[in-house]
Amino acid sequence: MRFSAEAIENKKIQLDAIDKYPELVKDVVAGHIDEDFTLQRLRRYWEPGGGATLYCIVTKVSRYFLKVKHASVFVESMLESETDYIRLPSLQNEANFLSILQSDDVPDLLFYEERNGFSFLAMEMLTPFAEGVDTLLVSELLAAWTDLESFVRSLYDRGIVHTDLHEGNLCFRKSRIVVCDFEEARCLAQHLPFTESLDYCGQNRYGEVGSFPSETNKGIPGLTSLLRLKEVFKSRIRTALLRYLVECKFDHTCSFNADVLQHEDSRIYQSVDCDGILITGQRPLLDGRKHILQYLLAKHWIESKEALHHIDLGSNLGTFCFVAATVPYVSASIGLEAFDRYIVAANALRFLYDAEKASFVRFVCGESKLKDLGMGGEIICTMLSVYHHVENREFFLSDLLSNRPVMLLAEFATQERYYPERGSLVAEIEYIRDYLGYKAANTVSVSSDYKRPLVLFSDGTLKKIDNIYFRMAGKKFFKWALSVLITARGAGRLNR
């Protein structure tokens, strides 16, 4: 980004020049508002910033935001790929874009006028980001980010670049995020993917947007783009999620918990170790079941050329989806969860993990249908300590059969009271194997905490090396051993 010495000099000379003409401000506003009003002076987000003098127009029923700047202060920036500066008054440039865009994602324009050498731009009064963000719930923060990213993508699609995306230029209309300050926006079609665009990553062959002045504003450093704003949102979501996770207990208060004899437990169910959040839950942090899933995914990838998807039935906080989503040979991992509270928490963790390939869907085993997910390719499914909570098992198994995974890794509760139809866990496992038509149901491990069997339903035959890796699950050197296997037996497959 380059900056016009002339525009910056004009800004210095004319900074708050409107203070000499208070009646002019009142006359301009009176020409657009047919009711009594008062003007309240507002401070700038930083000094001198864009150099506008800021007011709040207060009436009996409304409040409006007014920016005033000398018309000689034109758009001061120029991208490296541009040949000249946009010699429009910067407030006129902003008014033009607000008129073009006219959506819930930008402020409503009240009026723009030029008089006596000054530009006057009035719009709806919104809540600044810093004031509104702390009141938002985790779900609202996630929705705000989704809306923000979607809107910036729409700008890209229309050949518009904002160039100055940071929290000082974001506001809220209640919980709805709104992008403000289009003074330095421009029309520029970028012939590259959205994730390489200026408003997304801040720099590309067209130039570079400005840097957030973190030293003077005590913020996260970086270019004024979505990538930097994502770190701002992560900080907020992390704080809100810590409060939210306290309420994510899997006990008798959860309507989908079929264990009527479960003791009171204040812990969350799955442990969390993510981006500064470390919470030990009912299931261990060092969980060997994760390693078994990693091995099965690698085993399938080595043996098959098909696209691989993962689904996790009863995904809770999404632990096993995040394991699968990090694997390059997994196209997508979908967590299916009945409890809305867990879906919100899992989506927050997905945001913190940057787990783009993971997603979470409300799904009630025994009621919902897998075919509605529209997943293609071959599926590896995990069903860990879920089956004994399923009420309509015949419907569930029928649905699973119609969307039969190539492998099903299941962890079963050992209490015989959960299997009244067949009378025992052993009989239930055999019934599931026969119903789903698998050739084998092998107990590959036992969970370290609850001592529950992990049963692999598949059509393949386990080899000696498979059992070696199953026994290594949970050991510190497992990842190294798995990398050796992938290098030795899967060389070149990633590049196919």
Side-chain angles (χ1 to χ4, degrees), residues 16-32:
D16 294 329
I18 194 64
D19 287 346
K20 299 175 183 178
Y21 310 100
E23 294 305 314
L24 177 60
V25 181
K26 293 178 183 179
D27 289 345
V28 171
V29 174
H32 297 275

Side-chain angles (χ1 to χ4, degrees), residues 14 63 115 194 301 305 311 325 410 435:
Q14 302 294 346
R63 286 156 53 90
R115 190 187 298 187
F194 171 64
W301 168 65
K305 298 180 181 179
I311 61 174
Y435 193 107

Side-chain angles (χ1 to χ4, degrees), residues 218-425:
K218 298 180 181 179
I220 296 172
L223 299 173
T224 54
S225 62
L226 281 183
L227 276 187
R228 181 192 163 276
L229 273 174
K230 189 167 191 178
E231 297 306 311
V232 174
F233 269 80
K234 280 184 178 182
S235 176
R236 300 290 182 170
I237 288 173
R238 191 183 303 114
T239 299
L241 181 59
L242 279 168
R243 297 192 298 265
Y244 187 81
L245 283 174
V246 175
E247 304 172 18
C248 289
K249 296 181 293 185
F250 189 66
D251 55 19
H252 63 280
T253 62
C254 178
S255 59
F256 299 100
N257 186 352
D259 188 356
V260 295
L261 302 181
Q262 180 177 321
H263 298 295
E264 186 80 18
D265 198 324
S266 61
R267 297 173 297 172
I268 60 175
Y269 184 67
Q270 291 179 346
S271 296
V272 176
D273 184 5
C274 172
D275 195 25
I277 298 177
L278 181 61
I279 305 175
T280 301
Q282 295 178 36
R283 307 309 298 260
L285 278 166
L286 301 176
D287 194 337
R289 298 176 303 162
K290 299 178 189 177
H291 287 166
I292 290 175
L293 174 58
Q294 287 176 320
Y295 178 74
L296 292 176
L297 294 171
K299 173 182 171 67
H300 178 84
W301 168 65
I302 290 169
E303 297 174 353
S304 171
K305 298 180 181 179
E306 298 295 325
L308 177 60
H309 294 78
H310 168 251
I311 61 174
D312 185 27
L313 297 168
S315 54
N316 198 265
L317 299 182
T319 295
F320 294 90
C321 291
F322 300 134
V323 169
T326 61
V327 176
Y329 36 86
V330 171
S331 299
S333 176
I334 300 181
L336 306 181
E337 175 55 55
F339 198 29
D340 291 336
R341 184 174 295 279
Y342 294 147
I343 295 175
V344 172
N347 275 320
L349 289 167
R350 172 184 179 270
F351 186 81
L352 296 178
Y353 274 122
D354 290 314
E356 299 294 335
K357 292 193 293 184
S359 60
F360 300 93
V361 177
R362 190 178 189 279
F363 187 96
V364 181
C365 294
E367 295 181 19
S368 306
K369 295 182 179 180
L370 288 169
K371 69 177 183 180
D372 294 338
L373 300 176
M375 294 189 73
E378 295 192 342
I379 296 171
I380 287 182
C381 177
T382 43
M383 182 178 67
L384 306 174
S385 291
V386 171
Y387 186 77
H388 63 289
H389 295 296
V390 177
E391 291 187 7
N392 190 343
R393 293 178 182 173
E394 293 303 312
F395 178 95
F396 171 67
L397 290 175
S398 175
D399 182 51
L400 200 58
L401 178 61
S402 65
N403 299 270
R404 186 173 176 270
V406 294
M407 292 187 213
L408 170 64
L409 179 65
E411 179 185 27
F412 290 97
T414 57
Q415 296 93 329
E416 303 291 4
R417 69 177 186 271
Y418 288 123
Y419 313 105
E421 296 89 347
R422 260 64 64 183
S424 70
L425 173 57

Side-chain angles (χ1 to χ4, degrees), residues 19 38 41 87 164 212 240 251 365 428 480:
D19 287 346
T38 58
R41 187 69 171 268
R87 300 191 67 87
D164 201 19
F212 183 81
D251 55 19
C365 294
E428 192 72 30
W480 170 84

